[in-house]
Amino acid sequence: MNSRDYGIQAIKDEAQALLDLIPKMDEAFDRAVELMYRCHGKVIVTGVGKSGHVGAKIAATLASTGTPSFFINPLDVFHGDLGVMTRDDVVLAISNSGSTDELLRFIPMVLHQQIPIIGMTGNTASLLAKYSTICLNVGVAKEACPLNLAPTSSTTAQIAMGDALAIALMQKRHFQPQDFAHFHPGGELGKRLLTTAQDVMRSTDLPVFSPDTRLGDAIILVSEGKLGLGVATDDDETIAGLITDGDIRRAIERWHADFFSHTVADIMTRRPKTVSLDTKISDIQRTMQQYKIHSVLVVSPDNHLLGVVDHYSCMV
């Protein structure tokens, strides 16, 4: 076997370990999800070594999907961190062997505070399993490591079980994209769901004219505006209509030399799509897709033009 073959075999072994995990997901999983869902405090994830790294990832996933959670190293508990725990919390303790010394020394402290423990272990006969309120079986037949020593398949199974808990909790909480954006304001989805029209609109040097403007003059203003559109307003500065490059092109094809004798009112869309200052970019994108348009007008409650948001503005 060459290096690629060894890599492929490792992936196959870990994939099989995940498939073997499915029959182990019994009513204990349901109880664990319910316990975490009804937790009034935090889900405190703990583990040592590789299980600790997995625990930090699980805690981060839970926290970012609506379940207050953080990771704590059991070694730190012996140096004052026990104070962060309350009876409203739930502890998720991870250990493949279920007999990690540092973790087992931590368990009596949790039990003393009457905090429920969800144990995640590959050994259901272990002390961790015995003293857990709920035990999740993440046992694997063998590691992907050819020596069957390095945590590989076992840590993959732990991560998958953690993801399964997080996804089940998301469903119970009816977690929506807007909620995800709230916890990920720096990501692309967060920007689209939290950014508003006011944040990205162009509000200066807008191509504005009256409905009586000759189309020859309107072309110049539209071109100078570099938005591919022009906005017609009435005497009271309320929006009367909108013309686009496409409207102008079609009018030229229709009227030829007579084009210059016509006014903006002859070709403008009298009820253009408008949004308010606080309209989310994600909603604006849906409007553009639905009506196959490239821009929307941002207006005040009394229909005065405040700005323009185009397709490129939405690419935050």
Side-chain angles (χ1 to χ4, degrees):
M1 294 175 65
N2 58 32
S3 297
R4 187 184 306 172
D5 292 330
Y6 286 120
I8 291 173
Q9 187 59 50
I11 292 175
K12 286 183 177 179
D13 289 343
E14 295 199 7
Q16 187 59 53
L18 294 184
L19 293 175
D20 293 342
L21 197 62
I22 295 174
K24 298 184 176 74
M25 295 182 66
D26 53 18
E27 56 89 22
F29 181 84
D30 299 329
R31 291 169 53 214
V33 171
E34 191 67 20
L35 182 60
M36 296 168 74
Y37 176 68
R38 298 194 178 280
C39 173
H40 296 294
K42 306 165 292 297
V43 175
I44 301 174
V45 187
T46 187
V48 179
K50 301 297 189 297
S51 293
H53 295 305
V54 169
K57 187 273 179 191
I58 292 175
T61 300
L62 289 170
S64 68
T65 52
T67 299
S69 178
F70 65 88
F71 174 79
I72 187 170
N73 189 314
L75 296 175
D76 294 332
V77 173
F78 303 116
H79 300 282
D81 284 2
L82 188 63
V84 303
M85 302 173 62
T86 72
R87 291 187 179 182
D88 290 329
D89 298 332
V90 171
V91 166
L92 174 61
I94 308 171
S95 170
N96 185 46
S97 68
S99 59
T100 307
D101 181 65
E102 297 90 342
L103 189 62
L104 292 181
R105 285 191 286 136
F106 166 61
I107 296 299
M109 302 178 188
V110 179
L111 295 176
H112 179 72
Q113 293 196 33
Q114 298 180 349
I115 299 172
I117 300 172
I118 300 173
M120 185 186 295
T121 179
N123 182 3
T124 55
S126 64
L127 287 175
L128 174 59
K130 178 180 178 180
Y131 289 107
S132 293
T133 310
I134 302 168
C135 179
L136 299 176
N137 184 357
V138 290
V140 298
K142 67 183 184 69
E143 299 286 4
C145 166
L147 302 177
N148 199 31
L149 294 175
T152 45
S153 296
S154 58
T155 49
T156 299
Q158 292 170 355
I159 291 174
M161 183 62 77
D163 287 343
L165 290 169
I167 297 305
L169 285 164
M170 288 176 68
Q171 295 294 328
K172 285 188 73 71
R173 297 184 193 283
H174 304 290
F175 201 77
Q176 300 298 314
Q178 292 83 355
D179 302 311
F180 189 86
H182 176 74
F183 292 107
H184 300 76
E188 179 182 350
L189 177 62
K191 289 180 181 178
R192 286 195 290 111
L193 292 175
L194 297 179
T195 303
T196 65
Q198 185 174 12
D199 298 322
V200 300
M201 71 181 187
R202 174 173 158 185
S203 58
T204 59
D205 299 323
L206 298 175
V208 178
F209 32 70
S210 76
D212 297 329
T213 302
R214 295 286 181 179
L215 288 178
D217 297 326
I219 286 180
I220 297 174
L221 294 174
V222 169
S223 178
E224 291 176 346
K226 297 180 179 179
L227 286 171
L229 57 79
V231 183
T233 59
D234 290 324
D235 293 338
D236 60 357
E237 297 186 350
T238 59
I239 295 174
L242 172 78
I243 65 171
T244 66
D245 284 340
D247 295 327
I248 294 172
R249 183 178 63 255
R250 286 185 289 273
I252 293 174
E253 293 173 349
R254 177 183 178 185
W255 289 319
H256 301 287
D258 291 335
F259 169 83
F260 295 97
S261 64
H262 288 273
T263 65
V264 168
D266 295 330
I267 66 170
M268 70 183 184
T269 299
R270 297 181 179 275
R271 298 184 65 179
K273 299 303 176 186
T274 62
V275 299
S276 63
L277 285 171
D278 58 357
T279 302
K280 300 291 190 299
I281 291 300
S282 56
D283 295 328
I284 293 175
Q285 288 177 317
R286 274 193 293 272
T287 297
M288 290 181 180
Q289 292 170 0
Q290 179 180 355
Y291 294 100
K292 295 180 174 58
I293 56 179
H294 296 91
S295 304
V296 295
L297 306 182
V298 185
V299 299
S300 64
D302 55 0
N303 203 36
H304 283 71
L305 180 66
L306 300 176
V308 175
V309 175
D310 62 12
H311 171 73
Y312 297 103
S313 303
C314 294
M315 298 172 66
V316 293

